[in-house]
Amino acid sequence: MQNNVVGSTQPQQSAPRQQIMLNADDPAQPIIRTLYGGGLHGTLSFSPQISIYSDGTYVLGVEKKGQLASDSLQTLLDTLANTYNLFDFSRKQFSDIQDQNSTYLQLAFNGKQTQLQYGTFGHYQANAQDRDEYTRLGKALTAISEALTGPTEPYQTNHYALLIRRAYGADPTASHPAWPLTEYTAEQAAYSECGKNPANENTPNLETSCLKFTLPAHGLLLTSEQVQQFKEVMKGAQQDFEENGNYYTVTLRPLLPDEQANHRLAMFGSAQSDFRAVPLLQQPKPEQESGS
């Protein structure tokens, strides 16, 4: 997370203080989320950095889970809404160097939603209000991180998405597990998610940026039986598989609570200026419907 704060400011208290309200009917949706990426030369983030839910549950990436006490959550939300007035910003994007990654903050509570981008800012002349809001946003991101200091445990779920691309860097002399599914082939899955690799007469190894730097068209939902088939042969969350002499890089991506409910993945790739969720399908699309 970047913290290149320009100038200094005191928190503004001019706006009427907002009472903190949460939607208790939809606890699976995040009220605070941060993602990182977007730079022209950035890398693909397979998950958010932080996801906080209305019951105080928070998940760091897709690795660790913790719990905020209700009073701590209320204090944090009050800080974001009233001390730093994030919902009332006149500017949403604070980044003036396109090839660098940024932190993207999503907020959804008090019946409001907003997304703010925090990157390298002030390289070009900025007015006083922009500098003030940029400073407050940096402090807000620090407040979120500092609130999540309690004990954590491994994040566990039975729900996973399959992310797959043709791999041209796999060692052909090494032993790679065979594709374990019978419902569809690795080639069908990879083509459906990332499209067809362009032909090139100079090299057979031309590859696309999909799932290396940029988002796929969609991911594939796995059944519990399919997850077990992969886990029996995979060493970790990512593995190269072989099928008919071709190689495929497979990532098993655990689903966060909101992703299970929405059938959409929260990821962030390079060359993005806003958040785009990745839809999840149960079967690969036919070739004529696929695309990257």
Side-chain angles (χ1 to χ4, degrees):
M1 184 179 297
Q2 298 175 339
N3 288 292
N4 301 322
V5 177
V6 178
S8 60
T9 185
Q10 295 297 319
Q12 292 190 353
Q13 300 286 355
S14 56
R17 198 163 193 87
Q18 304 176 51
Q19 183 178 358
I20 303 304
M21 298 179 295
L22 299 175
N23 185 359
D25 296 331
D26 200 5
Q29 302 308 314
I31 56 176
I32 301 172
R33 171 163 280 165
T34 64
L35 305 104
Y36 186 72
L40 296 180
H41 302 289
T43 56
L44 175 65
S45 296
F46 278 79
S47 69
Q49 292 180 307
I50 295 170
S51 302
I52 305 177
Y53 299 87
S54 59
D55 64 353
T57 299
Y58 64 89
V59 183
L60 306 179
V62 287
E63 292 80 33
K64 295 181 180 181
K65 175 182 177 181
Q67 185 71 39
L68 275 173
S70 59
D71 57 341
S72 298
L73 178 61
Q74 286 287 321
T75 297
L76 175 60
L77 298 180
D78 182 75
T79 297
L80 302 181
N82 291 311
T83 303
Y84 298 122
N85 304 115
L86 298 186
F87 285 116
D88 300 323
F89 274 23
S90 61
R91 187 185 184 108
K92 303 297 183 183
Q93 295 184 330
F94 298 88
S95 178
D96 50 24
I97 301 181
Q98 286 187 331
D99 62 350
Q100 294 190 7
N101 288 327
S102 301
T103 296
Y104 291 78
L105 172 64
Q106 298 176 337
L107 300 176
F109 60 93
N110 279 13
K112 302 177 182 179
Q113 295 185 16
T114 192
Q115 175 177 292
L116 302 168
Q117 177 187 4
Y118 183 79
T120 301
F121 186 71
H123 183 76
Y124 303 104
Q125 187 172 2
N127 60 40
Q129 182 173 354
D130 286 346
R131 292 196 301 270
D132 173 70
E133 290 182 348
Y134 179 63
T135 300
R136 282 188 276 152
L137 178 54
K139 291 182 177 181
L141 290 168
T142 298
I144 293 170
S145 296
E146 290 180 345
L148 309 181
T149 57
T152 60
E153 59 186 33
Y155 175 69
Q156 296 181 342
T157 180
N158 295 321
H159 302 276
Y160 287 80
L162 168 69
L163 299 173
I164 179 172
R165 70 189 301 269
R166 275 285 292 273
Y168 291 97
D171 182 359
T173 65
S175 176
H176 300 286
W179 180 251
L181 302 187
T182 58
E183 293 86 347
Y184 48 82
T185 67
E187 180 63 19
Q188 288 172 329
Y191 185 88
S192 179
E193 292 193 10
C194 288
K196 185 176 182 179
N197 285 29
N200 188 295
E201 62 183 11
N202 297 317
T203 174
N205 294 336
L206 190 66
E207 61 179 347
T208 69
S209 61
C210 175
L211 279 173
K212 186 174 184 181
F213 301 107
T214 60
L215 298 180
H218 55 261
L220 290 167
L221 278 169
L222 294 173
T223 66
S224 57
E225 292 79 11
Q226 290 171 331
V227 171
Q228 186 59 33
Q229 286 176 279
F230 277 109
K231 287 190 172 184
E232 286 176 357
V233 294
M234 290 182 68
K235 299 177 181 178
Q238 192 172 86
Q239 177 81 45
D240 286 338
F241 284 81
E242 188 273 337
E243 179 189 74
N244 297 329
N246 294 319
Y247 301 94
Y248 302 84
T249 298
V250 165
T251 301
L252 287 190
R253 164 68 155 76
L255 298 189
L256 295 164
D258 57 291
E259 297 172 330
Q260 297 172 32
N262 301 336
H263 287 187
R264 302 179 77 85
L265 283 178
M267 302 171 60
F268 219 98
S270 64
Q272 284 185 236
S273 60
D274 57 1
F275 172 72
R276 301 190 299 273
V278 177
L280 291 169
L281 304 177
Q282 293 182 334
Q283 293 286 333
K285 282 189 175 182
E287 182 171 325
Q288 63 270 22
E289 297 182 18
S290 301
S292 55

